[in-house]
Amino acid sequence: MCGELRKAHVGQKVFLAGWVDRRRDLGNLIFIDLRDHTGMTQVVVSREKDPEAHEKGEQVRSEFVVGVEGEVLERSAETVNAQVATGEVEVRARRLLILNEAKTPPFAIEDETKTAEETRLRYRYLDLRRPRMQERLRLRHRAALAVREHLSEHKFVEVETPFMTRSTPEGARDFLVPSRIQHGKFYALPQSPQLFKQLLMIGGTDRYFQIVRCFRDEDFRADRQAEFTQVDIEMAFPEREALFEIIEGLMEKLWALAGVQIERPFPHLTYDEAMERFGSDKPDLRFGLEWRQIAVPAAAREKLRLFESLKAMRLPKLAEISRSQLDRLQDFARTTSADWFSYFKVSGRGIQSPLGKVIGDEAVKALAEGIGAEPGDLVLLLGIKKSGTTSPRTTRSSADRRLDEASGVLRLEAARRFELIPKGGWHFAWIVDFPMFEFDEKEKRFNAMHHPFTSPQEEDLEKLESDPGDVKALAYDLVLNGSEIGGGSIRIHRQDIQRRVFKALGMTEEQARARFGFFLDALEYGTPPHGGIALGFDRIVALLSGESNIREVIAFPKTASAVDLMCEAPAEVDSRQLDELGIRIK
Ligand code: ASP
């Protein structure tokens, strides 16, 4: 291969094939850098010694596909290239075969590229020739192998489930496939194999996994793909901790592929804790900034009586941050869901805050004391004003939730602006005890926070009808450095509970039967307790390769608006196809 030759090969006869990376014509000598995915070798063609090969060498251009037969020579000391692994040798071409020609590519095939992503995607087959893309694809392959190996060791079996099926709700729209044989009927592409993996448990498979494509028709989301890959996992007779251990072991093996030894066991945080302290259910734990919900001190109660919910965050050693930086942070805070932002700084000279003018220095001091602020601290404050509206009770009130959301966004923004995110470091955590439902303010109804097959916690069962907002689920997420990389739950395995959950979601018995009748039936034939998880494989490989964009680790990705720029999909189809399907375009 083009990246393999070393000094030890000097004198050997070799045959190399690959793409012409670069050609330099010095008249009597032509140098060709020959490339394949393993690297590059310099080939020399001499007019004097090998006239036929030299003639061919004059014709080749970048990206021509050539074969070279020749001999490995040691380079003289002054021509050694220490930058490349093959830099101590070159191949003298005795024969040169032009296997195929190439047009001049629209961009150079090299790692450092400023080429627009659109162009890269349109000519993805050329983009994939870049060594970095080759490395990513190969890392992805090794990651898939590690998954298969690890899960097989733990007695999971890989089972394929259908792509043409009925819709399973995972919170997005379905991609539909019209039936030609039964006009007016449609298959849905699976948003996940959720029901099938549960049916496999009922079918006695007991430990299942699949590296599987899932399809979700979501509106524009910058870093989502309409089709993406999950490592989908399910086990019967599950213990949450046993499952966590299997998954942590898998993470350990995956990160070892990147030469990283991760720390185990991963910490657990409840959803409420994560929301309160980090304002996010996927907290970035690489840095320690934490919010605290605060009570308004008596001294400030009169002035701050408008607030329903307040949070404060200490940023130690940042009291020196300039006024203008804080003004800009304030501008940012205005774009969040909070109603109010303020701050104070604690220094040897006392407390400085624009808030003093509003609520008085005494009240600011009381606030600072309540928070436990220390000299050197910058303290950020966020608030939500009282509103007249009331929604059904949830584990956190709707004001709390708005405050959580804003505090999470502001925490990340402050960390970014003040450069508090350390480079490197992998901080995994399990987020547990999610609420079972979330209240949709627009639709005025409850939705499943994970999905409707997730089991409520045993002790909350009685609240399913009376106080659904307060029911906790046996659901969990795996988060890493601020990304959710997996999510799952212990499932409902009793039909009566499944029916109650459908009902809590506003489905009538008839609606539930029409959509999930087959599944409700199955639950009645001896369903073992079961649970599982799905891991975001694209995201994991992206993180492993130090990429923030999952398109970089997918061979043929689509744009954020779900377009394949290379094949130009989606595309129109001819009217005969539509006729056969009984479809007319409105
Ligand atoms: N089906 C779920 C999802 O795709 C994962 C799970 O609950 O196992 O998010």
Side-chain angles (χ1 to χ4, degrees), residues 380-399:
L380 305 183
L381 299 164
L382 276 180
I384 296 288
K385 291 199 180 130
K386 284 185 182 136
S387 72
T389 62
T390 47
S391 302
R393 213 163 77 85
T394 45
T395 49
R396 292 179 73 66
S397 76
S398 88

Side-chain angles (χ1 to χ4, degrees), residues 19 35 63 105-107 109 119-130 133-134 555-556 566-567:
W19 285 265
R35 182 194 70 231
E63 300 312 309
F107 49 85
I109 310 299
T119 313
R120 290 177 51 207
L121 291 178
R122 198 172 298 276
Y123 298 94
R124 189 59 154 184
Y125 44 89
L126 294 178
D127 191 42
L128 288 174
R129 281 186 203 162
R130 293 164 55 225
M133 293 307 285
Q134 283 298 320
F556 299 104
M566 185 180 62
C567 349

Side-chain angles (χ1 to χ4, degrees), residues 468-506:
D470 204 32
V471 175
K472 288 266 169 36
L474 293 172
Y476 34 78
D477 275 357
L478 179 58
V479 301
L480 169 60
N481 293 2
S483 294
E484 178 200 327
I485 59 170
S489 59
I490 303 297
R491 325 296 182 188
I492 297 167
H493 65 276
R494 274 172 41 194
Q495 202 229 33
D496 55 329
I497 297 175
Q498 185 65 70
R499 282 170 43 209
R500 285 169 63 193
V501 167
F502 284 149
K503 200 161 158 216
L505 290 167

Side-chain angles (χ1 to χ4, degrees), residues 201-219:
M201 297 305 111
I202 302 176
T205 311
D206 114 347
R207 287 187 172 201
Y208 142 95
F209 82 99
Q210 184 178 194
I211 300 182
V212 63
R213 204 69 56 80
C214 301
F215 306 85
R216 295 184 192 177
D217 188 2
E218 289 177 293
D219 289 329

Side-chain angles (χ1 to χ4, degrees), residues 346-569:
V346 190
S347 68
R349 285 166 285 140
I351 300 176
Q352 299 154 271
S353 173
L355 200 53
K357 283 204 213 85
V358 191
I359 64 172
D361 292 341
E362 274 315 299
V364 176
K365 214 172 133 214
L367 213 51
E369 271 163 18
I371 295 158
E374 285 175 22
D377 283 0
L378 164 70
V379 176
L380 305 183
L381 299 164
L382 276 180
I384 296 288
K385 291 199 180 130
K386 284 185 182 136
S387 72
T389 62
T390 47
S391 302
R393 213 163 77 85
T394 45
T395 49
R396 292 179 73 66
S397 76
S398 88
D400 286 345
R401 277 182 286 127
R402 252 170 67 209
L403 188 58
D404 289 341
E405 194 192 313
S407 66
V409 176
L410 193 66
R411 175 177 181 268
L412 289 182
E413 188 65 21
R416 231 173 270 137
R417 288 185 187 215
F418 305 150
E419 295 176 10
L420 304 174
I421 308 180
K423 295 258 173 314
W426 300 97
H427 292 263
F428 291 87
W430 292 105
I431 311 299
V432 300
D433 296 347
F434 278 81
M436 181 75 194
F437 305 103
E438 59 192 341
F439 191 71
D440 184 330
E441 305 276 351
K442 256 199 244 123
E443 306 275 326
K444 296 284 171 227
R445 64 181 176 88
F446 283 103
N447 288 326
M449 189 136 180
H450 187 50
H451 53 54
F453 314 104
T454 295
S455 175
Q457 298 197 354
E458 184 87 33
E459 61 273 23
D460 290 344
L461 277 177
E462 64 203 39
K463 289 188 278 192
L464 262 183
E465 290 78 17
S466 57
D467 197 2
D470 204 32
V471 175
K472 288 266 169 36
L474 293 172
Y476 34 78
D477 275 357
L478 179 58
V479 301
L480 169 60
N481 293 2
S483 294
E484 178 200 327
I485 59 170
S489 59
I490 303 297
R491 325 296 182 188
I492 297 167
H493 65 276
R494 274 172 41 194
Q495 202 229 33
D496 55 329
I497 297 175
Q498 185 65 70
R499 282 170 43 209
R500 285 169 63 193
V501 167
F502 284 149
K503 200 161 158 216
L505 290 167
M507 266 185 251
T508 63
E509 285 276 336
E510 295 73 49
Q511 285 166 335
R513 274 229 70 86
R515 288 186 68 189
F516 303 113
F518 69 102
F519 185 67
L520 287 168
D521 288 345
L523 285 175
E524 285 191 298
Y525 289 97
T527 301
H530 60 287
I533 191 166
L535 305 168
F537 190 62
D538 305 301
R539 167 74 48 220
I540 287 173
V541 178
L543 285 163
L544 282 177
S545 33
E547 270 305 321
S548 54
N549 180 346
I550 60 170
R551 293 191 290 275
E552 294 295 338
V553 297
I554 298 174
F556 299 104
K558 296 182 178 49
T559 64
S561 33
V563 172
D564 180 331
L565 292 172
M566 185 180 62
C567 349
E568 300 187 331

Side-chain angles (χ1 to χ4, degrees), residues 220-239:
F220 180 87
R221 286 258 192 97
D223 199 24
R224 290 284 180 99
Q225 286 282 303
E227 49 178 314
F228 60 95
T229 305
Q230 283 188 343
V231 180
D232 196 41
I233 295 173
E234 195 77 7
M235 68 195 283
F237 312 106
E239 263 181 46

